[in-house]
Amino acid sequence: MRVLRDAVAEYRAAATAAGLDWPEHAEAPAGQPPGSVYRIFGVDHVAEQLTWFQSQNWPPRRLLPNGGWIMPWPADGGEELDTLAISIGTPFPWRHQVRLFNFEHLVYTFVLAGEYEGEIWRYEFTPDVWGSARAATSLAALFTGWTKGIAAGAVVHDDLNGWLKVREDGQDEVAVLRERVPDVDFLTFPVYVADESLLRARQRECGVDMDCIERGFDCYEELSDTVRATRRSLGI
């Protein structure tokens, strides 16, 4: 928890120094998730790191790189589970994760249970990409990576919309990240990966079921059917 708190504080300091408007607020103690979270995701506990993070009540602004924002605890779980149908090929049960960040074309989740608990995974909404992959080994690692991106000038403030964005400089975003912050996994940042071979290589390293990725839409349809059946069993 200390490592996470420090990583979040360092990110906020770097983001505001870069020009992001982020009002001061006092740290809040860790609360409790809604009781429905255990039922929706089929888990018997929720990590303190996640409950602390969701208790901080950050302002409803785009405070994350590339205009991302924090997603609240799910209201009824229906939409939440539907979204998880894109998480094909994960090396953990699809249901054991909760949406945490939204970047419009990407969603990041927090893994709730099992061997991969605490990891952050990312999924692209781009059709036919099937981009299930790990973004970071932990929340602390994620924020530390973003802070390094700001410090290296790979993530900069966009005066036009007031967000932080990955610098392009006429280059592919992934190329900029690999050049400026080579010690941070480029998948930590919410960027589109145009090089499919590069994405597939990282998926293999993350333990993604590549047979499922190869089957693509068929695997997605199978998971969608499972999601619908789960929703029916939960009455949501």
Side-chain angles (χ1 to χ4, degrees):
M1 283 300 305
R2 179 186 58 78
V3 173
L4 174 58
R5 288 195 297 267
D6 289 347
V8 170
E10 288 167 4
Y11 171 75
R12 183 185 180 282
T16 53
L20 188 68
D21 182 13
W22 190 340
E24 286 280 359
H25 71 287
E27 179 181 330
Q32 293 296 322
S36 59
V37 166
Y38 302 96
R39 177 170 175 265
I40 292 169
F41 301 105
V43 295
D44 58 11
H45 73 282
V46 176
E48 183 184 6
Q49 290 185 23
L50 181 58
T51 59
W52 174 85
F53 187 81
Q54 288 287 31
S55 299
Q56 297 315 297
N57 297 317
W58 286 13
R61 301 184 182 186
R62 294 175 179 256
L63 302 176
L64 310 178
N66 282 4
W69 65 94
I70 300 166
M71 305 194 74
W73 292 116
D76 60 23
E79 178 185 351
E80 180 85 21
L81 294 183
D82 284 345
T83 301
L84 295 181
I86 65 174
S87 60
I88 66 171
T90 59
F92 52 84
W94 68 272
R95 191 175 159 197
H96 288 174
Q97 56 185 325
V98 59
R99 294 182 304 177
L100 188 56
F101 302 136
N102 192 321
F103 300 92
E104 294 187 343
H105 68 292
L106 282 166
V107 63
Y108 281 28
T109 69
F110 184 100
V111 181
L112 293 167
E115 178 184 352
Y116 295 85
E117 181 178 358
E119 290 191 353
I120 310 299
W121 278 63
R122 49 175 276 163
Y123 309 100
E124 297 187 11
F125 290 122
T126 309
D128 302 325
V129 170
W130 315 122
S132 303
R134 184 179 62 214
T137 55
S138 68
L139 262 177
L142 187 76
F143 279 99
T144 297
W146 289 346
T147 300
K148 288 183 176 181
I150 296 171
V155 176
V156 296
H157 185 258
D158 186 338
D159 294 332
L160 183 62
N161 56 34
W163 306 341
L164 296 175
K165 70 172 186 177
V166 175
R167 182 190 295 274
E168 296 175 0
D169 290 341
Q171 301 181 61
D172 175 77
E173 291 176 321
V174 172
V176 171
L177 292 167
R178 298 184 82 184
E179 175 185 340
R180 289 178 175 261
V181 278
D183 61 330
V184 179
D185 185 350
F186 60 87
L187 289 178
T188 296
F189 300 88
V191 295
Y192 172 69
V193 183
D195 185 340
E196 184 173 309
S197 63
L198 190 60
L199 175 61
R200 299 294 179 245
R202 288 296 294 109
Q203 287 177 310
R204 292 187 186 93
E205 294 172 15
C206 296
V208 173
D209 181 347
M210 300 310 294
D211 289 337
C212 186
I213 297 298
E214 182 67 26
R215 292 194 297 115
F217 186 75
D218 289 341
C219 193
Y220 167 74
E221 284 284 274
E222 291 169 6
L223 183 52
S224 294
D225 290 342
T226 300
V227 170
R228 285 191 288 269
T230 301
R231 288 193 59 179
R232 287 194 297 270
S233 69
L234 295 174
I236 58 177

